[in-house]
Amino acid sequence: WFQGRVEKKDYFEGWYLKAVSADGRHSWAFIPGLSLNRDDNHSFVQAIDGKTGKTWYFRYPKEDFRFSPGDFSIAVGPNLFSQKGMVVDLENHAGFFRGRLEFGDFTRYPVSFRRPGIMGWYRYVPFMECYHGVVSLDHSVDGEILHSEGLIHLDHGRGYIEKDWGTSMPEAWIWMQTNHFEQAGTSFMLSVAKIPWIGKSFTGFLGFFHHRGKLHSFATYTGAKIQHISDKGKLLHLEIKHAKFRIEIEALRGEKGSLKAPVSGNMERIIHESIDASIRVTLIDKKNRVLFAEQGIHAGLETVGNLSMLS
């Protein structure tokens, strides 16, 4: 749901909707959002082709952003994004997208007063630089989009939706996500970032692994610890220790595209994202038994800033 107010200053809010076709030939993400600052208030939709890394940025007036106060349903100009699906009618000098996708079978992240989503109690902390939410861990996608460079067939595909809001994205972060493992319905996400805190900073992280209907959450607020981070060019390796399990992650970068990210609400920072990466996830219990070990494909992966800040 929309968390802000359109009258705010130095504020951004954006949703990330990823869709991958059943045969894996098409992998796309669409990012609608709102940018509010002193110099350039506007709404927008970004698009990224996971196979080529090519990106598009479509600008709209701030007044073209609309939202439903009671559920996930937002509009940017003639483009609609909701839990039921999305309708796009995007065009500028760089190309066009026109079509409709239908979503079904949402797997939601559990929310309660004590645990308000993926951020846990940090969700209630005021004045944080950036907040994070997960809308759908995994859902079905059907439909097609006519693109200036070809037809995007997404029937019987899979999708994922998350969002961010606040003033700025962190100075340095790692983000990765995939819901394309051998067994349908398995989904994984991890975000590690440098978090400003009362004049100082710390490395905070949050993530989940969902498999066979069971959700394993691991985050700073759960007492989990990052044991290891190493960046070896195209390969990124992390190890996280939780009281009940250990999770090892190897992420292989894919084709990268340039996206815009907010600084004090202004979409002026350029970051690079791959949605053609692969992530190997190994879950190990306290008795050192391997509970899961598979490679997820069509993965989203961002590594931004100086990653040594996160060690």
Side-chain angles (χ1 to χ4, degrees), residues 56-257:
W56 293 259
Y57 193 92
F58 300 90
R59 293 175 57 97
Y60 292 86
K62 178 187 80 170
E63 293 74 21
D64 280 6
F65 176 83
R66 305 176 304 282
F67 67 96
S68 168
D71 57 9
F72 167 50
S73 179
I74 60 166
V76 178
N79 307 282
L80 177 65
F81 306 87
S82 75
Q83 68 179 45
K84 295 181 180 178
M86 55 183 270
V87 178
V88 292
D89 185 4
L90 300 158
E91 185 169 3
N92 62 16
H93 66 279
F96 68 82
F97 296 84
R98 295 189 184 95
R100 177 189 299 268
L101 301 180
E102 294 183 358
F103 302 154
D105 305 323
F106 263 43
T107 301
R108 297 185 178 277
Y109 194 92
V111 174
S112 65
F113 179 77
R114 290 187 175 183
R115 187 173 166 181
I118 189 71
M119 287 189 69
W121 63 267
Y122 278 100
R123 172 64 181 84
Y124 295 125
V125 176
F127 311 119
M128 289 194 72
E129 182 179 52
C130 184
Y131 297 86
H132 191 82
V134 175
V135 181
S136 172
L137 284 64
D138 180 73
H139 57 267
S140 62
V141 177
D142 286 287
E144 60 184 28
I145 295 173
L146 179 61
H147 174 30
S148 46
E149 299 182 5
L151 190 62
I152 305 168
H153 292 279
L154 290 161
D155 280 340
H156 310 297
R158 305 305 302 173
Y160 171 84
I161 305 174
E162 64 172 49
K163 64 171 297 181
D164 293 283
W165 69 99
T167 57
S168 302
M169 296 295 283
E171 182 179 358
W173 79 83
I174 297 168
W175 171 84
M176 60 181 72
Q177 178 278 329
T178 178
N179 53 324
H180 283 82
F181 292 94
E182 186 175 322
Q183 182 170 326
T186 302
S187 184
F188 167 81
M189 188 277 288
L190 170 68
S191 178
V192 184
K194 180 183 177 183
I195 311 295
W197 188 260
I198 316 176
K200 299 181 180 180
S201 65
F202 68 94
T203 296
F205 69 97
L206 49 82
F208 68 80
F209 175 66
H210 183 264
H211 180 60
R212 292 181 177 174
K214 185 173 183 180
L215 182 69
H216 303 271
S217 296
F218 45 92
T220 306
Y221 64 85
T222 70
K225 304 289 184 183
I226 296 178
Q227 300 287 100
H228 176 75
I229 299 178
S230 67
D231 185 2
K232 299 178 180 179
K234 290 199 66 116
L235 186 65
L236 184 66
H237 181 264
L238 299 95
E239 184 174 330
I240 294 170
K241 187 175 182 181
H242 187 276
K244 296 181 179 179
F245 57 85
R246 186 171 85 252
I247 188 163
E248 296 180 356
I249 304 134
E250 285 188 344
L252 184 65
R253 292 176 171 90
E255 292 292 333
K256 294 189 295 184

